[in-house]
Amino acid sequence: MKNKSLLSQYSIRKTRPRLQIISVIGKFKNRHFSVEEVLKGLRRGKSKVSRASAYRAINLFSQKGLLRPIDLGKGFLLYERASQKSHHDHLYCINCGKIIEFKDQSIEKLQMKVCRKKRFHPKSHTLRITGLCKECL
Amino acid sequence: MKNKSLLSQYSIRKTRPRLQIISVIGKFKNRHFSVEEVLKGLRRGKSKVSRASAYRAINLFSQKGLLRPIDLGKGFLLYERASQKSHHDHLYCINCGKIIEFKDQSIEKLQMKVCRKKRFHPKSHTLRITGLCKECL
DNA sequence: TATTAATTGAGACTGAGTCTCAATTATATA
DNA sequence: TATATAATTGAGACTCAGTCTCAATTAATA
């Protein structure tokens, strides 16, 4: 079973709620999703996982490196499968909500340089550019 | 009166609640503050400004360019006087909560380059590096 | 299979922020 | 200065994401 081995791979104990959550997340493919969307997906599929457990599981998955949280400044977090792509940053269109991903090694390097200069030890960073995508102009 | 002229300067209609809010904000000096902190400051000073009005005023001030919101990913926004310093980004220490500001023109330029490549029209951006400051290691 | 430790569900709770709408107040004009 | 009009306010109910508690359940392990 694919989902079971996915959990062992990340040393996460296998429980029914967690497997159901993984399965819903699988349906999102590459789309970013919120915990509330996962909950809706569970309800649609008749899975009775509590709100508390969904939040707990998704936090755990993020801790363990299976998911990656994305903060678009919307007042709640989105998530994505961490393994599907490596770290990247986001352009976020205020008008249509589109998320454009980008990766820029030179920016990352300059960030490291800033940290060295300030003797700051980075754990993670968020770079989000908000504006209008080409379709929305 | 300094606060009154500050409001006219930004074409903001002068009302008692807004003047009281400006006065509380003045007391924070260069410190970043949340709306709830402003509310506390108002209560301490016996000013009876409603929660709704405080949020409305501070949003308006941000629109008009008097304040600048800062999103440290804490689940609520902080603000700072926009005029006191120009745009900058933040290092945020998870352990002690310290905020270290930095400005890096090369990073800004690379961001613009990314936007041009994606035909994206930036309105604002947030770059936040989270980690441990030198004191907290 | 029994033991032990981790996990779960229900729902109350929190905290930031928004909304409504009648009452108040600021500004523009006469 | 008085008045008309438009903007602003306050009270508190509400929303929404997320957390907490704790008894009951379930997973891993021996």
Side-chain angles (χ1 to χ4, degrees):
Chain A
M1 219 141 255
K2 234 164 102 287
N3 292 337
K4 277 196 185 174
S5 69
L6 187 58
L7 290 185
S8 352
Q9 197 180 317
Y10 284 91
S11 355
I12 297 167
R13 293 165 69 109
K14 290 163 276 305
T15 68
R16 194 157 39 134
R18 286 173 188 172
L19 288 165
Q20 292 179 330
I21 288 166
I22 284 288
S23 140
V24 167
I25 288 174
K27 295 203 186 109
F28 290 123
K29 307 269 177 189
N30 290 341
R31 179 168 280 89
H32 303 108
F33 55 88
S34 66
V35 180
E36 295 296 324
E37 284 173 315
V38 171
L39 272 166
K40 274 191 206 110
L42 289 165
R43 303 276 175 268
R44 232 181 283 118
K46 312 283 180 217
S47 307
K48 287 198 275 301
V49 175
S50 74
R51 165 184 253 50
S53 296
Y55 275 94
R56 281 186 291 227
I58 286 167
N59 279 330
L60 181 68
F61 295 171
S62 304
Q63 299 281 314
K64 294 286 190 173
L66 201 169
L67 297 179
R68 186 186 297 127
I70 301 168
D71 184 352
L72 293 180
K74 297 170 116 192
F76 57 92
L77 291 175
L78 297 181
Y79 294 86
E80 66 184 359
R81 277 290 308 276
S83 61
Q84 281 174 345
K85 40 184 100 105
S86 57
H87 169 77
H88 54 260
D89 294 307
H90 299 94
L91 307 180
Y92 174 51
C93 178
I94 327 169
N95 191 58
C96 69
K98 193 192 295 139
I99 300 167
I100 302 162
E101 300 178 348
F102 71 93
K103 202 184 287 196
D104 190 312
Q105 214 44 56
S106 327
I107 293 181
E108 307 276 319
K109 274 190 195 133
L110 287 170
Q111 288 177 16
M112 292 308 292
K113 201 170 142 194
V114 167
C115 290
R116 274 198 304 279
K117 205 162 60 189
K118 304 276 186 188
R119 297 190 197 295
F120 188 87
H121 294 248
K123 284 250 185 296
S124 69
H125 74 263
T126 294
L127 170 55
R128 170 213 323 153
I129 304 178
T130 299
L132 293 172
C133 70
K134 58 180 191 285
E135 283 80 16
C136 286
L137 257 158
Chain B
M1 219 143 254
K2 235 166 102 285
N3 291 338
K4 278 195 185 176
S5 70
L6 186 59
L7 290 185
S8 354
Q9 197 180 316
Y10 285 91
S11 355
I12 296 167
R13 294 165 69 108
K14 291 161 277 303
T15 67
R16 192 156 41 132
R18 286 173 188 170
L19 288 166
Q20 292 178 330
I21 288 165
I22 285 289
S23 139
V24 168
I25 288 174
K27 295 202 187 110
F28 291 123
K29 307 267 176 190
N30 291 341
R31 180 172 280 87
H32 302 109
F33 56 88
S34 65
V35 179
E36 295 297 325
E37 283 172 316
V38 171
L39 272 165
K40 273 191 209 111
L42 289 164
R43 304 275 174 268
R44 229 179 287 118
K46 310 283 179 220
S47 307
K48 285 197 277 298
V49 175
S50 73
R51 167 183 251 56
S53 296
Y55 276 95
R56 280 187 291 228
I58 286 167
N59 280 328
L60 181 68
F61 295 172
S62 304
Q63 298 282 314
K64 295 284 190 177
L66 201 168
L67 297 179
R68 186 186 297 127
I70 301 169
D71 183 352
L72 292 181
K74 297 170 115 192
F76 57 91
L77 292 175
L78 297 182
Y79 294 85
E80 67 185 358
R81 276 291 308 277
S83 62
Q84 281 173 345
K85 40 183 101 103
S86 57
H87 169 78
H88 53 260
D89 295 306
H90 299 95
L91 306 179
Y92 174 52
C93 177
I94 327 170
N95 192 57
C96 68
K98 194 192 295 141
I99 299 168
I100 301 162
E101 301 179 348
F102 72 93
K103 203 185 289 197
D104 189 313
Q105 213 44 58
S106 327
I107 292 181
E108 307 275 319
K109 274 190 195 135
L110 287 170
Q111 288 177 15
M112 291 309 292
K113 201 169 141 193
V114 167
C115 290
R116 274 199 303 280
K117 205 161 61 187
K118 304 275 187 187
R119 299 190 193 296
F120 188 87
H121 294 249
K123 284 250 186 296
S124 69
H125 74 264
T126 295
L127 170 54
R128 171 211 324 152
I129 304 177
T130 300
L132 293 172
C133 71
K134 58 180 193 286
E135 282 80 17
C136 287
L137 257 158

